[in-house]
Amino acid sequence: MDQKLLIELSSDGKNGVRFPACDVEEQKLEDMFPSDYLRKSPPDLPQVSIPEVVRHFVNLSALNHHVDKAMYPLGSCTMKYNPKMNEAVAGMTGFTEIHPLQSPQTVQGALKIYKDVEDFLCAITGMAGFTLQPAAGSHGELTGVMIMRRYHLKKGNQKKIILIPDSAHGTNPASVAIGGYEARQVKSTVEGLVDIEDLKKKLSDEVAGFMLTNPNTVGLFEENVQEISRLIHEVDGLMYMDGANMNALLGIVKTGRAGFDITHLNLHKTFSTPHGGGGPGSGPIGVNEKLLPFLPTPVVREKDGTYFFDWDLPESIGKIHSFWGNYGVILRAWTYIRMLGSEGLKQVSRGAIINANYLKTRLEKVYHLPYTKRPMHECVFSGDRQKAKGARTLDIAKRLLDYGVHAPTVYFPLIVHEALMIEPTETESKASLDYFADVMLKIDQEIDKDPELVTNAPYTTPVSRLDEGKANRELNICWQDMNKGD
Ligand SMILES: Cc1ncc(COP(=O)(O)O)c(C=O)c1O
């Protein structure tokens, strides 16, 4: 971590910028601005050369693990390669230099892309309409819950509860609670699927809907989804699909046909926008025919080749994002979908599934696999055996960093002890999957020989074990304070 700041590299007279000669009449600052607004002395900017600046940022970028550096098998998060073409398109000035408040006539191309993405997502999922406004999967969930509420209010239904499986992503119960419902858990079977008998016990006229992740958070396809959907619809509940894991189903399953009324997708996972660190994201919501009137306003429509915003939706839940959503992410998704086409998208999911199954097969003799069914795009092991030998899942995750691999998701889902949730993604080659599997097996052998080697890891990272609780509670990103050791 002995990286110097640019200001520390600075010395008088060094300069990386040469301005062109001034070609307008020079004016005095004092004539242009009130004197109170003017600096009394020049700002203390670093004086550095171009190579120093380049090296500074290149070295900093290498301190962090990232998906362009090596494998990043973070389960549930889908850290796959994001084609650089997406960035090239998102960086085009024709897109970056428009303003969301420009009149629709002046941004017809941008609106066409917006509408195209909605149409592509309808074709992929079989839903009747989409909104691209939500800024994240969790935001999409909340939008979905708001749509559910509007549906039940209109029908005069007295609903209080939304059912969710015990394996659900933490954002599901949070969205339910923020949306004004009570989240009630449905158990999983020993196979890792929704327990239909437990679901039946929890069904009542108060049930507003069921929020189901498919593939679920242990990476399994919920085979009984049509039966679940029938039961929920019998009490006039709505089926909500958390489609954050849609990267396992592209071209394979149309969620609309599986009985779902609402589906969210994570563009920043399935449709390849780099993510992590809090955004930006995009969590579009798709609905079936009967819920179309409740979609957020405005809806982009096309008539006679002209695109426009339709605000005339009296039953809409209203706006749920400033302007029209995270357009840069939508643009990347458009590029990705257009580049791959329907066959390419199907290959994405097939690749994700075969990669996860390959790792399952390579690791299951050594790492305990609580749910043995064939997984979809990710597989969840338990580190119980290794814990019994002296090193916990957290230690294995830290040791992986020494081998240049990002750790999988750990301790989630909560229903698996010492969980190691591995999502290899479709963009990993057999060679990188083998490297990962070899390293996992080697770490197990290290635990056999010398557990402390693993419990003291990592040794090669810029910082070793951090006090994560303190870092979260007392976030301090000020360099001077860090240097004081505070
Ligand atoms: C299954 C599942 N649901 C919901 C979410 C929430 O998505 P976001 O992080 O975009 O809010 C995630 C995110 O990883 C997820 O994996």
Side-chain angles (χ1 to χ4, degrees):
M1 280 294 274
D2 57 351
Q3 296 288 326
K4 288 201 159 83
L5 296 187
L6 286 178
I7 199 78
E8 293 173 299
L9 296 171
S10 171
S11 56
D12 283 350
K14 273 196 279 181
N15 192 350
V17 189
R18 210 173 291 152
F19 290 108
C22 183
D23 60 357
V24 291
E25 196 186 329
E26 284 194 46
Q27 293 193 36
K28 286 198 174 127
L29 286 176
E30 295 77 20
D31 297 338
M32 295 167 68
F33 302 101
S35 58
D36 282 0
Y37 292 180
L38 293 179
R39 288 180 172 280
K40 304 292 174 258
S41 56
D44 191 15
L45 294 177
Q47 301 186 43
V48 277
S49 66
I50 292 177
E52 280 170 322
V53 175
V54 171
R55 283 186 191 156
H56 175 73
F57 286 110
V58 168
N59 287 334
L60 282 184
S61 75
L63 291 179
N64 253 1
H65 192 90
H66 48 91
V67 79
D68 288 341
K69 195 166 167 183
M71 191 167 166
Y72 207 139
L74 202 60
S76 197
C77 289
T78 315
M79 305 300 285
K80 64 180 178 186
Y81 173 73
N82 304 291
K84 299 299 169 260
M85 175 59 87
N86 296 359
E87 298 307 312
V89 173
M92 286 176 172
T93 49
F95 296 118
T96 55
E97 292 185 1
I98 54 176
H99 192 278
L101 291 184
Q102 259 176 257
S103 103
Q105 287 87 335
T106 63
V107 286
Q108 284 293 298
L111 291 183
K112 178 187 176 343
I113 285 190
Y114 202 89
K115 179 83 175 66
D116 277 358
V117 172
E118 287 182 1
D119 293 347
F120 294 157
L121 299 183
C122 284
I124 290 167
T125 58
M127 304 308 283
F130 259 88
T131 173
L132 307 183
Q133 275 187 44
S138 44
H139 193 194
E141 292 165 24
L142 177 63
T143 309
V145 174
M146 288 164 75
I147 290 175
M148 275 194 194
R149 173 170 283 282
R150 197 46 73 89
Y151 167 84
H152 289 305
L153 277 177
K154 187 180 173 194
K155 292 190 81 179
N157 289 346
Q158 302 295 311
K159 304 285 194 183
K160 293 191 180 144
I161 298 161
I162 293 184
L163 299 175
I164 49 171
D166 56 6
S167 60
H169 195 263
T171 52
N172 290 185
S175 305
V176 167
I178 296 174
Y181 288 102
E182 180 197 326
R184 202 163 285 174
Q185 268 190 14
V186 176
K187 286 187 199 147
S188 299
T189 61
V190 284
E191 286 186 306
L193 302 177
V194 171
D195 183 334
I196 304 277
E197 292 315 310
D198 193 50
L199 168 64
K200 285 183 185 160
K201 280 188 216 146
K202 291 176 179 157
L203 269 181
S204 76
D205 285 337
E206 292 193 331
V207 169
F210 190 70
M211 216 175 205
L212 182 63
T213 307
N214 204 12
N216 67 21
T217 49
V218 290
L220 303 181
F221 187 77
E222 288 286 352
E223 295 160 7
N224 302 316
V225 62
Q226 280 172 319
E227 168 70 350
I228 297 170
S229 161
R230 191 186 59 75
L231 291 168
I232 296 295
H233 286 129
E234 261 176 20
V235 296
D236 200 11
L238 293 173
M239 284 291 286
Y240 179 99
M241 172 161 140
D242 177 332
N245 296 333
M246 189 71 193
N247 59 312
L249 302 181
L250 299 171
I252 299 175
V253 174
K254 290 212 183 217
T255 58
R257 291 206 199 136
F260 288 102
D261 302 286
I262 312 176
T263 298
H264 91 244
L265 302 175
N266 279 14
L267 296 189
H268 48 292
K269 295 165 59 165
T270 306
F271 297 100
S272 84
T273 277
H275 70 117
S282 178
I285 282 283
V287 294
N288 63 10
E289 208 74 43
K290 71 180 175 203
L291 300 177
L292 282 176
F294 309 117
L295 279 178
T297 44
V299 171
V300 174
R301 300 199 197 282
E302 183 259 338
K303 194 167 180 243
D304 303 329
T306 302
Y307 294 86
F308 62 99
F309 291 117
D310 182 1
W311 292 88
D312 189 19
L313 280 118
E315 294 181 309
S316 158
I317 59 164
K319 224 165 172 311
I320 43 103
H321 192 284
S322 55
F323 304 128
W324 330 119
N326 280 336
Y327 190 73
V329 183
I330 294 164
L331 202 48
R332 288 174 176 88
W334 182 88
T335 312
Y336 184 70
I337 295 170
R338 287 297 307 270
M339 272 198 318
L340 288 174
S342 55
E343 265 316 298
L345 289 175
K346 196 188 274 186
Q347 280 306 320
V348 164
S349 290
R350 289 181 167 189
I353 294 170
I354 200 149
N355 280 3
N357 277 278
Y358 184 68
L359 284 185
K360 167 193 175 278
T361 309
R362 283 221 51 198
L363 295 176
E364 68 190 330
K365 288 203 182 72
V366 170
Y367 288 88
H368 172 52
L369 189 71
Y371 304 112
T372 51
K373 270 180 175 297
R374 284 208 167 282
M376 298 291 282
H377 63 304
E378 60 195 358
C379 51
V380 185
F381 291 95
S382 158
D384 267 350
R385 289 180 193 154
Q386 286 68 25
K387 187 178 175 191
K389 297 194 285 186
R392 301 178 56 210
T393 281
L394 182 70
D395 305 316
I396 297 167
K398 297 289 181 198
R399 184 66 178 140
L400 274 168
L401 304 178
D402 286 331
Y403 289 102
V405 179
H406 195 279
T409 295
V410 292
Y411 299 101
F412 176 76
L414 302 176
I415 55 171
V416 175
H417 288 157
E418 297 288 318
L420 278 152
M421 186 189 210
I422 302 170
E423 180 172 5
T425 80
E426 79 285 355
T427 41
E428 293 306 327
S429 65
K430 179 169 178 296
S432 70
L433 297 179
D434 278 332
Y435 177 74
F436 176 76
D438 291 345
V439 166
M440 286 292 285
L441 299 175
K442 188 165 178 210
I443 293 174
D444 177 68
Q445 288 166 2
E446 288 176 350
I447 299 170
D448 285 336
K449 280 197 210 117
D450 177 12
E452 278 192 13
L453 176 69
V454 178
T455 55
N456 291 328
Y459 305 95
T460 58
T461 49
V463 289
S464 187
R465 300 238 177 172
L466 299 170
D467 182 341
E468 288 169 23
K470 188 170 154 70
N472 275 317
R473 281 191 298 272
E474 298 168 30
L475 184 67
N476 184 351
I477 51 169
C478 179
W479 173 82
Q480 275 94 349
D481 289 348
M482 286 200 298
N483 248 16
K484 277 189 234 145
D486 287 351

